[in-house]
Amino acid sequence: MSDKDENNQMERRNFLKCMAWAGAGVVWMMNGGVLSSLPLVSAAKRKSGFSFVQISDSHIGFNKEPNHDVTKTLQEAVDKINALDDQPAFVIHTGDITQLALPEQFDTAAQVLKTVKANQVYYVPGEHDVFTDDGSLYLERFGRGTLGKGWQSFDYEGVHFIGLINVLNLKQGSGTGLGGTGFGQLGPEQLTWLEKDVKALSSSTPVVVFAHIPLWTIYPEWGWGTDDSAQALSYLKRFGSVTVLNGHIHQVMQKVEGNITFHTAFSTAFPQPAPGTAPAPGPIKDVPAEKLRGLLGLTDVSYVRNGRSLALVDSTLK
Amino acid sequence: MLTKSKLYLLLVLALSVAGLSLTRAHASAPVLANEVVIENFSYKPTTLTVAAGTTVTWVNHDDEPHTVTETNKRFNSKALDNGDRFSKDFTQPGTYNYYCALHPKMTGQVIVK
């Protein structure tokens, strides 16, 4: 396989083209304990293991440029998932399900996501889902059966999945001299739970962590990071394979640090600018309707091997 | 002949025109205005100094929703959509730090003297 690096590179570029639409999702394949990603269209080629799909940032209720119908693009994402020959075991939504945490927005999201064929959709909230009421409506609608303020873990075919919440009690940034990062935060209660949760696991257990705001610092100027993520990751360092899946930034980025692979997902609603390329991290508005889906695919990502399997590595951000 | 009420009307008109141009001329100056514009994910002016008894109004010019959330939750707006306003009376002197609950990088303060 190693003599096909160039071919793989080409395939990966094609893969990005395939994903160049707003409702894109990523299929994660679990083979021999190592995650690799494949385009939805190629999922049928999987021979063993299982797959799951991550979607993110559907922002139901958003109704401005560049997307006046975010319900439709979420539905397109779901349709795409449902059309897979090889159905994913489950779907993970990494938050910002809604725009303003309104009951009718949660309703609409639930109606669309009910059409997912996979048995189960796991959720973590984004700040848009919890900022009005510290997450109580979110918990009621999407957090049933979770622990604490909505965190959770579960096992699937030998893989340990952990859903973390880093969008509650957000503290202000340092702009007016008070200190603080304006980052996401996990909080001591959740960190204590996490430490216990993974304690009994063998280090060879593959671990997948999902949370809304990236657990690595992508761009502090826009608050794209999590204050106490280092603490969380310290509990996971001993594991041979850790994959961290995030949303929030509405674009694909990857980073590999030791055994930990970080990945952020596309939004199903609208793209956001690459760090520092705009005055603010709001939606990219000036997208012609016919190009909306195409724009998301323009993120320039390349892929390298990690020795055992294909891994996603971000190498493009300026 | 101008009646008293017409004179009064003219006076009001003249004052409001003056007031408008004053607001315009000083819209971006961080001194003693009583309106904070939310634009490009920032509060302008970031620091607003007012006399006790002043009502401060925030208006959101971004397409993204924002909030005006006091650090110690002494006041908190709902999500302000584009064009939405939020007003708060400041009767007690002091420094009121606030931020956006959706984008906590955004910070501002009102100093009441």
Side-chain angles (χ1 to χ4, degrees), chain A residues 62 64 99-100 127-128 131 134 170-176 178 181-183 220-223 270 279-283 285, chain B residues 40-41 46-47 62-65 67 69-71 73 76 78-79 81-82 97-99 101-109:
Chain A
F62 179 90
K64 293 197 168 79
Q99 176 73 348
L100 295 176
E127 70 285 352
H128 282 256
F131 77 105
D134 287 331
L170 295 180
K171 299 286 191 295
Q172 69 173 48
S174 60
T176 36
L178 286 189
T181 56
F183 278 17
E221 288 81 354
W222 287 352
F270 54 86
K285 289 186 222 166
Chain B
N40 267 330
F41 287 60
T46 303
T47 298
D62 274 352
D63 273 350
E64 271 285 283
T67 74
T69 303
E70 204 270 336
T71 302
K73 301 278 164 78
N76 192 1
K78 67 176 179 67
D81 212 337
N82 182 288
N97 289 289
Y98 63 88
Y99 64 104
L102 280 166
H103 313 98
K105 261 321 237 201
M106 296 169 56
T107 59
Q109 63 185 181

Side-chain angles (χ1 to χ4, degrees), chain A residues 3-312:
Chain A
D3 59 341
K4 289 185 184 164
D5 273 0
E6 247 183 294
N7 285 341
N8 272 317
Q9 187 103 354
M10 285 307 295
E11 279 168 26
R12 291 292 161 167
R13 286 185 192 283
N14 289 335
F15 151 43
L16 280 180
K17 280 181 202 157
C18 293
M19 288 187 61
W21 61 291
V26 179
V27 178
W28 288 91
M29 316 298 283
M30 182 59 67
N31 280 305
V34 179
L35 276 177
S36 58
S37 72
L38 286 173
L40 293 175
V41 289
S42 299
K45 292 179 185 166
R46 182 172 63 83
K47 300 229 165 60
S48 62
F50 69 95
S51 69
F52 64 96
V53 172
Q54 178 196 8
I55 54 173
S56 199
D57 295 87
S58 42
H59 286 266
I60 296 302
F62 179 90
N63 184 22
K64 293 197 168 79
E65 295 304 330
N67 189 351
H68 290 274
D69 198 348
V70 296
T71 305
K72 183 161 182 272
T73 46
L74 175 60
Q75 186 65 62
E76 284 178 33
V78 171
D79 293 347
K80 202 92 176 169
I81 297 165
N82 288 343
L84 292 170
D85 288 341
D86 196 358
Q87 280 294 292
F90 50 83
V91 171
I92 289 175
H93 192 305
T94 44
D96 281 357
I97 302 161
T98 67
Q99 176 73 348
L100 295 176
L102 298 173
E104 61 269 29
Q105 296 175 349
F106 281 120
D107 286 345
T108 303
Q111 273 166 21
V112 174
L113 292 159
K114 214 162 57 183
T115 64
V116 170
K117 271 201 240 164
N119 286 331
Q120 175 85 44
V121 183
Y122 294 96
Y123 298 92
V124 284
E127 70 285 352
H128 282 256
D129 302 315
V130 302
F131 77 105
T132 53
D133 63 355
D134 287 331
S136 56
L137 189 59
Y138 162 80
L139 265 187
E140 188 188 314
R141 301 293 185 92
F142 289 89
R144 290 259 166 101
T146 57
L147 305 166
K149 303 262 165 57
W151 46 84
Q152 63 189 309
S153 70
F154 60 93
D155 295 286
Y156 191 86
E157 293 196 8
V159 181
H160 192 67
F161 289 83
I162 304 168
L164 297 178
I165 299 191
N166 56 0
V167 294
L168 289 169
N169 300 312
L170 295 180
K171 299 286 191 295
Q172 69 173 48
S174 60
T176 36
L178 286 189
T181 56
F183 278 17
Q185 58 168 4
L186 296 158
E189 190 188 348
Q190 185 173 210
L191 286 168
T192 303
W193 168 80
L194 174 65
E195 188 177 17
K196 275 191 202 143
D197 182 71
V198 299
K199 206 162 203 167
L201 296 175
S202 136
S203 294
S204 61
T205 308
V207 175
V208 176
V209 178
F210 54 103
H212 179 66
I213 297 177
L215 292 174
W216 46 299
T217 302
I218 291 179
Y219 195 60
E221 288 81 354
W222 287 352
W224 287 359
T226 300
D227 266 334
D228 42 10
S229 58
Q231 186 69 33
L233 297 173
S234 74
Y235 304 141
L236 304 173
K237 282 218 166 87
R238 68 182 173 91
F239 292 95
S241 164
V242 178
T243 304
V244 178
L245 305 177
N246 301 123
H248 189 59
I249 67 168
H250 297 215
Q251 58 198 290
V252 171
M253 286 195 208
Q254 288 90 212
K255 185 176 97 150
V256 175
E257 202 176 284
N259 292 332
I260 305 180
T261 299
F262 298 89
H263 171 87
T264 62
F266 283 130
S267 162
T268 67
F270 54 86
Q272 285 183 171
T277 61
I284 298 175
K285 289 186 222 166
D286 54 346
V287 186
E290 71 278 10
K291 299 217 165 141
L292 173 63
R293 291 157 176 80
L295 183 79
L296 295 179
L298 291 181
T299 312
D300 184 11
V301 182
S302 65
Y303 296 76
V304 298
R305 287 173 180 281
N306 69 3
R308 287 193 294 168
S309 167
L310 282 171
L312 300 172

